[in-house]
C-alpha cells in the first residue's frame, strides 16, 4: 500500500486528502467516493507520515506473530456442511455463501465472505482461499484443489473433514502426552527459583563470613543465585523478546526459516515428530491425487503444499524434477533419502504392477503408524531425560550446599 496526496476543489475552495491505496487510480477512486460534489485536480505519491509509518511497522510486526488459525473443530463443522450441500447438488458458490452466514466464528465468517467475493470476480475456489492458507491450513487448500481437479468437490471435502478430525485427535494426544513432562519441568523450575531467591542467599552470607575457598559446585550455585536475584527480570524479558523475535523471523525470513527447519529435524524426538507428521500428510494427499488420476507432476505440486518444513519440502521438490527428466517415481523417491529401503521396494512393486495407488496408500499408512507410535509413547521417551535433569539439579544443589559444610566440619575437627 502506498500513500497518495489528492488535491481537489469543492465550492471554489482547494483542499487535499492523504489516501492509502495500491495505485494512483485507486487513490483517485477512493477520493471521489469521499469528496462528493468536488473535482479531483491531481494525485501524486508521497512518503508516509511518521505516525503512519510507525503504525504500519507495528501492524507488520505484531500481525505476523499474532496471526491465528481457525479453530479446527469449527473448520471441520463448516467443511462438513459444505460437503453435504455440494453433495445435494447446491453450487459451491451458494454453499460458500450459506456456510459463511451460518458460522458463528467471526474469523471464519470473514474468510468465507471474502471467498464469496473472489468467486464472484471469477476466481477458482482454490484461488479464493489461497490468501488464507495459514488460517485454514495447507491440507485444506490441497484437498480443495483436489476437488476442483477431479470435479468431485463433495467427496474431497468429506475426506478433508476426516483428515482434519484425525489431525485434531493427534494434536489432543500430543498435548495429553506433554502434560506430565511440562508439569514436572514447571515444578522443577519453580522450586529452583524459590531456592535461589530464599534459601541459597542464607548460605551465601555464611560462606562470605568464613572467607573460605569454595568448591566449583558452590561457585556455580552462587553464580545462578546472583543472576536470578540481580538480573532475573532482565533475563525473563530477554527470553520473552527472544521468543517473539524467533516467531517473527521464522514467519518473515526464508533463510532463517530454512536454517531452523534443517536444524530441528536433528533434535531428539522433536525431529521425528515433525518428519513423520510431514511425510504422513504428504503421502496421504499424494495418494489421493494419484488415485483420482491426476498427473504425477501436478499431484506432487499439490501435495507439497501440505509440507511446512523447508528441508523436507526441498528434498520432495526434487522428485518432480526427476520425474520430468524421465526418471521413474521409485528412483526419484529413492534419491531424496527420506524413504526406507522397504518403502522404496513397495513403491517399485506398485509402479511395475500397475497398483501404484494401493502401494502409496500402504506407504502413507506406514508413516501414519510411526507418527502415532511416537505420540502414544512420548512420555516413555521423555522420562529418561526428565530423570536425568532432576538428578542433575538435585546433585548440583546438594554438592553446592553440603561440600563447603563438610569442609568446615573437617576444619573444626582438625
Amino acid at each position: 500500500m502506498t500513500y497518495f496526496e489528492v488535491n481537489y476543489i469543492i465550492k471554489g475552495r482547494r483542499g487535499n486528502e492523504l489516501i492509502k491505496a495500491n495505485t494512483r487510480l485507486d487513490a483517485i477512486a477512493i477520493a471521489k467516493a469521499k469528496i462528493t460534489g468536488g473535482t479531483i485536480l491531481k494525485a501524486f505519491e508521497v512518503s508516509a507520515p511518521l505516525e503512519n509509518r510507525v503504525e504500519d511497522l507495528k501492524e507488520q510486526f505484531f500481525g505476523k506473530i499474532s496471526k491465528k488459525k481457525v479453530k479446527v473443530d469449527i473448520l471441520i463443522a463448516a467443511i462438513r456442511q459444505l460437503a453435504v450441500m455440494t453433495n445435494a447438488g447446491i453450487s459451491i458458490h451458494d454453499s460458500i455463501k450459506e456456510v459463511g452466514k451460518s458460522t458463528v466464528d467471526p474469523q471464519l465468517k470473514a474468510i468465507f465472505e471474502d471467498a464469496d467475493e473472489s468467486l464472484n470476480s471469477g476466481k477458482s475456489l482454490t484461488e479464493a482461499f489461497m490468501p488464507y492458507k495459514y488460517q485454514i491450513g495447507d491440507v485444506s487448500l490441497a484437498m480443495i484443489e483436489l476437488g476442483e481437479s477431479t470435479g468431485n468437490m463433495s467427496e474431497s471435502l468429506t475426506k478433508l473433514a476426516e483428515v482434519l478430525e484425525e489431525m485434531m485427535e493427534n494434536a489432543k494426544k500430543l498435548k495429553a502426552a506433554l502434560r506430565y513432562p511440562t508439569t514436572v519441568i514447571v515444578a522443577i523450575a519453580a522450586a529452583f527459583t524459590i531456592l535461589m531467591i530464599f534459601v541459597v542467599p542464607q548460605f551465601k552470607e555464611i560462606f562470605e563470613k568464613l572467607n573460605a575457598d569454595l568448591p566449583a559446585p558452590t561457585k556455580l550455585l552462587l553464580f545462578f543465585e546472583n543472576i536470578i536475584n540481580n538480573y532475573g527480570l532482565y533475563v525473563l524479558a530477554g527470553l520473552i523478546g527472544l521468543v517473539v523475535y524467533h516467531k517473527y523471523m521464522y514467519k518473515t525470513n526464508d533463510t532463517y526459516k530454512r536454517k531452523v527447519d534443517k536444524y530441528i529435524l536433528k533434535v531428539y524426538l522433536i525431529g521425528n515428530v515433525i518428519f513423520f507428521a510431514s511425510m504422513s500428510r504428504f503421502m496421504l494427499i499424494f495418494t489421493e491425487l494419484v488415485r483420482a488420476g491426476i498427473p504425477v507432476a501436478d499431484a506432487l505440486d499439490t501435495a507439497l503444499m501440505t509440507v511446512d518444513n523447508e528441508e523436507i519440502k526441498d528434498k520432495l521438490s526434487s522428485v518432480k524434477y526427476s520425474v520430468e527428466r524421465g526418471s521413474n517415481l521409485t528412483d526419484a523417491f529413492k534419491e531424496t533419502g527420506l524413504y526406507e529401503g522397504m518403502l522404496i521396494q513397495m513403491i517399485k512393486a506398485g509402479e511395475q504392477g500397475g497398483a501404484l495407488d494401493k502401494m502409496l496408500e500402504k506407504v502413507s499408512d506406514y508413516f501414519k503408524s510411526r507418527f502415532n507410535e511416537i505420540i502414544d509413547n512420548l512420555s516413555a521417551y521423555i522420562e529418561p531425560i526428565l530423570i536425568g535433569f532432576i538428578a542433575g539439579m538435585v546433585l548440583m544443589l546438594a554438592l553446592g550446599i553440603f561440600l563447603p559444610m563438610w569442609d568446615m566440619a573437617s576444619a573444626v575437627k582438625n
Side-chain angles (χ1 to χ4, degrees):
M1 299 288 278
T2 310
Y3 287 86
F4 295 89
E5 184 177 313
V6 180
N7 294 338
Y8 61 89
I9 186 168
I10 181 169
K11 295 180 180 179
R13 292 185 179 181
R14 288 178 176 269
N16 60 73
E17 182 87 15
L18 187 66
I19 291 175
K20 188 177 180 183
N22 287 317
T23 65
R24 179 175 170 274
L25 292 175
D26 289 343
I28 292 173
I30 294 169
K32 284 180 178 178
K34 280 186 173 183
I35 307 158
T36 54
T39 303
I40 305 299
L41 299 176
K42 61 179 178 178
F44 52 92
E45 186 177 332
V46 294
S47 59
L50 180 61
E51 61 270 18
N52 293 82
R53 273 182 273 177
V54 172
E55 285 299 320
D56 287 344
L57 285 172
K58 283 169 64 179
E59 184 181 344
Q60 182 185 6
F61 182 79
F62 291 106
K64 291 285 186 183
I65 61 175
S66 61
K67 192 186 291 183
K68 293 182 180 178
K69 292 188 176 183
V70 177
K71 292 181 180 179
V72 181
D73 54 342
I74 294 173
L75 183 60
I76 290 171
I79 288 169
R80 286 211 176 275
Q81 191 177 348
L82 272 178
V84 171
M85 294 178 75
T86 51
N87 190 46
I90 302 171
S91 69
I92 190 65
H93 180 274
D94 292 336
S95 300
I96 290 287
K97 187 180 293 185
E98 288 304 315
V99 174
K101 288 179 182 177
S102 62
T103 184
V104 294
D105 185 75
Q107 185 184 16
L108 190 60
K109 185 185 286 290
I111 291 173
F112 273 72
E113 286 173 355
D114 188 63
D116 180 45
E117 291 178 8
S118 298
L119 290 173
N120 283 332
S121 65
K123 291 183 179 180
S124 68
L125 191 61
T126 306
E127 291 171 335
F129 281 109
M130 186 64 76
Y132 304 102
K133 180 180 177 181
Y134 178 82
Q135 286 87 342
I136 65 172
D138 298 316
V139 175
S140 300
L141 214 55
M143 292 303 289
I144 288 170
E145 188 168 339
L146 170 62
E148 287 191 307
S149 301
T150 59
N152 195 340
M153 184 60 72
S154 174
E155 186 178 329
S156 293
L157 291 172
T158 302
K159 182 68 176 177
L160 171 59
E162 293 172 0
V163 171
L164 290 176
E165 281 180 345
E166 185 179 330
M167 290 171 63
M168 184 172 66
E169 289 302 317
N170 286 337
K172 286 180 180 178
K173 286 197 291 184
L174 181 61
K175 286 179 181 178
L178 289 174
R179 194 172 294 129
Y180 163 70
T182 302
T183 304
V184 172
I185 291 171
V186 169
I188 292 171
F192 183 77
T193 304
I194 291 169
L195 285 170
M196 291 298 108
I197 294 174
F198 298 107
V199 178
V200 174
Q202 304 300 321
F203 288 95
K204 183 181 179 181
E205 292 179 6
I206 298 172
F207 298 151
E208 286 175 347
K209 286 178 182 177
L210 292 172
N211 199 24
D213 185 24
L214 300 174
T218 307
K219 289 179 180 178
L220 182 62
L221 200 63
L222 293 178
F223 170 76
F224 283 125
E225 181 272 337
N226 180 56
I227 293 291
I228 290 173
N229 283 303
N230 296 320
Y231 309 101
L233 292 177
Y234 297 107
V235 172
L236 182 62
L239 289 173
I240 293 171
L242 192 64
V243 171
V244 172
Y245 176 75
H246 164 73
K247 288 181 70 176
Y248 176 76
M249 290 293 291
Y250 189 79
K251 291 181 179 180
T252 59
N253 190 303
D254 289 337
T255 304
Y256 181 82
K257 185 178 188 303
R258 286 179 182 277
K259 287 180 180 178
V260 172
D261 285 348
K262 184 176 182 179
Y263 170 76
I264 203 166
L265 290 174
K266 299 175 183 178
V267 177
Y268 170 74
L269 202 60
I270 296 174
N272 281 340
V273 170
I274 292 172
F275 174 76
F276 287 111
S278 299
M279 293 302 294
S280 176
R281 285 199 305 269
F282 170 80
M283 289 306 302
L284 173 65
I285 303 300
F286 182 62
T287 302
E288 291 296 329
L289 291 164
V290 170
R291 181 178 287 128
I294 306 298
V296 169
D298 295 336
L300 287 166
D301 274 339
T302 303
L304 277 170
M305 292 167 58
T306 66
V307 181
D308 294 326
N309 187 279
E310 294 296 332
E311 179 71 9
I312 298 174
K313 184 179 282 189
D314 287 343
K315 291 181 178 181
L316 290 172
S317 296
S318 66
V319 175
K320 179 186 175 181
Y321 303 127
S322 298
V323 170
E324 289 177 339
R325 289 198 306 266
S327 297
N328 58 46
L329 194 60
T330 304
D331 292 337
F333 275 139
K334 187 177 181 180
E335 287 172 6
T336 64
L338 299 173
Y339 295 81
E340 299 174 22
M342 172 191 70
L343 302 179
I344 294 296
Q345 292 301 317
M346 290 167 64
I347 295 170
K348 184 177 182 179
E351 203 170 16
Q352 292 177 346
L356 181 60
D357 59 332
K358 292 181 180 178
M359 285 303 176
L360 288 175
E361 187 176 5
K362 292 184 182 296
V363 174
S364 176
D365 289 341
Y366 170 79
F367 283 119
K368 177 182 170 183
S369 65
R370 287 296 305 273
F371 174 75
N372 288 334
E373 179 192 355
I374 293 172
I375 297 300
D376 292 338
N377 298 289
L378 197 60
S379 295
Y381 291 131
I382 295 176
E383 232 168 50
I385 300 174
L386 283 178
I387 292 171
F389 182 68
I390 294 170
M393 294 283 289
V394 171
L395 186 64
M396 184 183 72
L397 287 167
L399 292 177
I401 291 174
F402 292 118
L403 274 179
M405 307 294 283
W406 291 335
D407 290 343
M408 284 188 286
S410 300
V412 170
K413 285 179 180 179
N414 293 332

